[in-house]
Amino acid sequence: QVQLVESGGGLVQAGGSLRLSCAASGRTFSSYDMGWFRQAPGKERELVSGINWDGSSIRYADSVKGRFTISRSNAKNTAYLQMNSLKPEDTAAYYCAAASTLFGAVRLGARDYDYWGQGTQVTVSS
């Protein structure tokens, strides 16, 4: 089992940047693929980006390609989401999630992920 704690959210103006962190504790961090999801009010939770256990497989939602970068440090038991050129439509609660790795490509569906953090709010003002 793994526990996840997100940090780094906040209020930023359009065009600004934020870096989210997801600190993991419990089972070996490299046993998990990691995902960042977001959910805006009235909308379904969506995958923002995912990274597999060793970083060899990464995927992004089309809406964030070229602006967001996912990374992980297995030595620090932490996953990151660097968000640049933020837009008001990026406003949402952001969640990190962990899925027991299958040592293949990163998983893309929320139902593939077994463990979730409590979320951190990102608000982008226009």
Side-chain angles (χ1 to χ4, degrees):
Q1 196 165 359
V2 64
Q3 293 77 43
L4 305 172
V5 178
E6 302 99 333
S7 61
L11 173 64
V12 64
Q13 288 188 333
S17 299
L18 285 173
R19 188 194 197 202
L20 304 184
S21 297
C22 175
S25 61
R27 215 177 126 196
T28 305
F29 185 61
S30 58
S31 300
Y32 297 96
D33 297 346
M34 299 299 296
W36 285 98
F37 293 79
R38 68 186 180 188
Q39 187 167 21
K43 295 188 176 182
E44 292 188 355
R45 188 169 296 190
E46 62 173 354
L47 176 74
V48 176
S49 183
I51 184 169
N52 72 339
W53 69 285
D54 65 350
S56 61
S57 175
I58 290 175
R59 294 288 293 273
Y60 297 98
D62 288 343
S63 58
V64 307
K65 281 181 182 177
R67 300 188 297 123
F68 291 11
T69 303
I70 192 172
S71 61
R72 66 186 294 159
S73 169
N74 288 344
K76 295 182 179 180
N77 295 339
T78 304
Y80 306 95
L81 185 68
Q82 178 67 43
M83 306 186 295
N84 298 329
S85 302
L86 282 160
K87 304 176 181 180
E89 51 263 44
D90 295 317
T91 295
Y94 282 71
Y95 300 87
C96 72
S100 296
T101 189
L102 299 179
F103 298 104
V106 61
R107 259 75 64 71
L108 304 179
R111 61 187 176 186
D112 293 324
Y113 289 79
D114 305 306
Y115 305 101
W116 293 80
Q118 82 288 352
T120 186
Q121 179 67 35
V122 172
T123 302
V124 184
S125 63
S126 57

